[in-house]
């Protein structure tokens, strides 16, 4: 369906961005978040969790832990954890996001 098409497009764009701009460029990081969002919309929570965790490591190093985009990724990770019934970790992460906002 359309989500599959969107995911494929985001993955293709990200591959081009990584090659042309680099993996840590702001546009590449943004597209990586969109890949995670598309996975989450497809209920592919384990995959989105892995992607969000990897993205957060880079964002925290490149943008900073309290940068709005980094906090947004952290919140998305919180939601994906919640969707997997990982309530304790989801709550702790959401509290961190709220404290930093």
């Amino acid at each position: 369906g359309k989500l599959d098409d969107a995911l494929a497009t985001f993955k293709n764009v990200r591959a081009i961005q990584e090659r042309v701009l680099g993996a840590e460029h702001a546009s590449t990081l943004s597209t990586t978040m969109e890949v995670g969002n598309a996975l989450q919309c497809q209920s592919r929570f384990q995959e989105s969790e892995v992607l969000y965790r990897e993205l957060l490591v880079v964002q925290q190093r490149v943008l900073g832990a309290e940068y709005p985009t980094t906090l947004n990724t952290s919140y998305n990770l919180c939601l994906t954890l919640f969707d997997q019934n990982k309530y304790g970790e989801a709550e702790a992460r959401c509290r961190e996001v709220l404290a930093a906002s």
Side-chain angles (χ1 to χ4, degrees):
K2 293 188 184 229
L3 283 174
D4 290 329
D5 294 342
L7 180 59
T9 299
F10 286 132
K11 284 183 173 183
N12 288 335
V13 169
R14 184 179 65 170
I16 293 166
Q17 287 174 323
E18 286 177 346
R19 190 174 63 250
V20 175
L21 303 173
E24 296 184 355
H25 189 277
S27 294
T28 308
L29 297 177
S30 178
T31 303
T32 302
M33 170 114 75
E34 295 301 337
V35 171
N37 293 345
L39 290 168
Q40 193 170 0
C41 286
Q42 292 180 322
S43 299
R44 292 166 63 178
F45 303 123
Q46 290 177 334
E47 292 172 79
S48 63
E49 177 186 350
V50 169
L51 187 74
Y52 288 144
R53 287 185 190 280
E54 291 170 353
L55 179 59
L56 269 173
V57 170
V58 176
Q59 286 178 321
Q60 288 171 343
R61 183 170 31 79
V62 173
L63 304 173
E66 295 185 4
Y67 193 77
T69 306
T70 307
L71 293 173
N72 192 31
T73 301
S74 192
Y75 178 72
N76 288 343
L77 175 57
C78 174
L79 295 177
T80 228
L81 291 168
F82 183 84
D83 288 331
Q84 296 176 83
N85 302 321
K86 298 179 180 180
Y87 301 122
E89 186 180 355
E91 179 184 1
R93 183 161 298 276
C94 283
R95 288 183 185 279
E96 289 174 10
V97 171
L98 287 172
S101 299

